[in-house]
Amino acid sequence: MAGLTTWAIAPLLAGAALLLPLGTANQAQAIPPRYYGVNLASGEFAPEKLPGEHGRDYVYPGAATAAPFRAMGMNSVRVPVLWERLQPRPNAPLDAAEMARLDASLASLSGFQQVILDVHNYARYRGQLLSRANGGELVDLWTRLADRYKNRPEIAFGIMNEPHDIGAGEWRAIAEATVAAIRRTGARNLVLVPGTRWTGGHSWQAGGRDSNAAALAGFVDPGRNMAFEIHQYLDNDSSGQHACSGPKVGRARLEGVTRWLRQQGAKAVLGEFGGDQSATCLAALDDLLGYLRENGDVWIGWNYWAGGDWWGDYSYSVQPSGGKDKPQAAVLRRQIASYRRP
């Protein structure tokens, strides 16, 4: 998630759960996504307390946390983790105790068609930005993770969350080397590759020759099983910290990157998006999901930000509270139900 982790509380909308129109008129003829789900955040919490105490500073999600989303019909969950907890020193073995905790979490989520393992580090290790000089550290991490999970086809490899302040060309070199290393292990799992600039859909063409659009064109996956991971929030600065800007803002911000994906013959997953409980945000979420379905030839999945038991009063949270769904859940639930129409 881009930006701060302290959030303003959006006012509750009376009757917010009432049904909104589904997407747009041509949605019924569109291609539904293959994967649709939620981020189950908490494994990446408290990076300032590394390694922190499991169960107090951070926790990996389990079956009970995921149960409401399975009941909603979701088939995908994204599980953020911190690199430094899995591998306390670069190029060193994975931490056995930490991996046992993560393995237990992933096992409890195995009923989902897709479980995205998301290294939530912003192209950094202990605050140090990756570069061509130290990019081999990420290659080493993913070589070890891929070797561990290559026989678990439901686990998708999210190689890095929201790189930023790194050139797009430099990031491509690191990402391409990482994907090549994953394939050398024999892993055929789906790999999700982000861009830089927080991998924002709205900024995909920004930066001229060093834009994601220019630098990532023709990206090579030897295994031919990858998608770009793109994030798009709906507030005024696309940071995911404010109220939504308007009911059609999502499609407006994704039009450019959607054209680029189609030109490239590439696929993408919307790895993070979300909104508060206001009428504007609920309409914007509905329209955004309708847009993804209209363009299902390139958009193969989405994961809402966020679920998880530790969010408290975070206004974008879709984790049920006191046994009650959040208003955003009504939009997600109806969209998912529409995918099953004959």
Side-chain angles (χ1 to χ4, degrees), residues 51-75:
E53 182 181 336
H54 184 266
R56 186 182 70 179
D57 299 316
Y58 70 99
V59 67
Y60 297 120
T65 299
F69 304 108
R70 195 190 302 274
M72 197 181 294
M74 291 182 174
N75 67 6

Side-chain angles (χ1 to χ4, degrees), residues 72-88:
M72 197 181 294
M74 291 182 174
N75 67 6
S76 173
V77 289
R78 182 171 180 253
V79 180
V81 300
L82 285 184
W83 179 355
E84 298 90 345
R85 289 182 177 135
L86 306 187
Q87 190 180 40

Side-chain angles (χ1 to χ4, degrees), residues 5-340:
T5 55
T6 301
W7 303 80
I9 302 174
L12 289 175
L13 174 71
L18 56 87
L19 299 181
L20 301 171
L22 261 178
T24 59
N26 61 340
Q27 191 174 347
Q29 288 75 43
I31 304 169
R34 190 182 314 163
Y35 306 113
Y36 33 92
V38 67
N39 286 266
L40 293 182
S42 60
E44 82 285 20
F45 284 7
E48 74 283 358
K49 295 183 178 180
L50 287 171
E53 182 181 336
H54 184 266
R56 186 182 70 179
D57 299 316
Y58 70 99
V59 67
Y60 297 120
T65 299
F69 304 108
R70 195 190 302 274
M72 197 181 294
M74 291 182 174
N75 67 6
S76 173
V77 289
R78 182 171 180 253
V79 180
V81 300
L82 285 184
W83 179 355
E84 298 90 345
R85 289 182 177 135
L86 306 187
Q87 190 180 40
R89 290 182 294 108
N91 302 310
L94 301 174
D95 183 87
E98 197 66 27
M99 293 308 300
R101 286 189 279 266
L102 179 59
D103 284 347
S105 172
L106 297 178
S108 75
L109 302 172
S110 61
F112 286 91
Q113 185 177 343
Q114 179 187 73
V115 180
I116 301 170
L117 180 58
D118 159 47
V119 176
H120 210 82
N121 275 73
Y122 307 92
R124 286 155 172 78
Y125 185 90
R126 295 193 183 273
Q128 182 179 359
L129 184 66
L130 293 178
S131 66
R132 281 186 172 89
N134 65 358
E137 295 174 359
L138 185 64
V139 170
D140 178 84
L141 171 71
W142 274 107
T143 298
R144 297 174 190 274
L145 290 174
D147 196 53
R148 190 180 190 94
Y149 296 122
K150 63 186 178 183
N151 295 319
R152 299 276 301 279
E154 80 279 8
I155 298 180
F157 298 158
I159 64 170
M160 182 57 63
N161 178 70
E162 295 186 348
H164 64 90
D165 299 314
I166 181 173
E170 188 163 29
W171 169 246
R172 173 179 175 148
I174 296 169
E176 218 160 41
T178 300
V179 174
I182 288 170
R183 298 309 180 202
R184 284 195 295 272
T185 70
R188 301 175 65 185
N189 309 57
L190 175 66
V191 177
L192 301 181
V193 177
T196 186
R197 294 182 179 83
W198 308 90
T199 202
H202 66 287
S203 59
W204 201 256
Q205 279 94 355
R209 293 182 180 178
D210 198 44
S211 67
N212 286 322
L216 296 176
F219 189 97
V220 176
D221 168 20
R224 299 179 181 272
N225 188 24
M226 65 155 284
F228 290 102
E229 182 183 315
I230 293 168
H231 295 181
Q232 188 57 63
Y233 287 97
L234 307 172
D235 48 351
N236 59 349
D237 58 1
S238 295
S239 68
Q241 300 180 48
H242 314 291
C244 298
S245 297
K248 304 284 187 181
V249 63
R251 68 172 54 231
R253 291 176 180 172
L254 290 182
E255 283 179 352
V257 69
T258 300
R259 284 193 298 271
W260 180 86
L261 289 163
R262 194 168 285 124
Q263 290 163 1
Q264 291 288 313
K267 307 296 185 184
V269 168
L270 193 64
E272 289 187 19
F273 68 98
D276 65 28
Q277 301 173 356
S278 66
T280 299
C281 272
L282 297 180
L285 289 171
D286 189 61
D287 186 70
L288 172 61
L289 293 176
Y291 178 80
L292 297 182
R293 182 169 179 173
E294 291 165 27
N295 294 278
D297 58 315
V298 295
W299 292 99
I300 65 170
W302 53 261
N303 290 83
Y304 180 89
W305 186 273
D309 293 315
W310 287 18
W311 278 119
D313 55 10
Y314 168 43
S315 65
Y316 284 22
S317 172
V318 74
Q319 191 75 30
S321 178
K324 295 182 179 179
D325 276 350
K326 301 291 175 60
Q328 299 95 320
V331 176
L332 303 178
R333 190 186 298 274
R334 278 190 311 109
Q335 287 281 351
I336 292 167
S338 77
Y339 302 158
R340 300 190 178 92

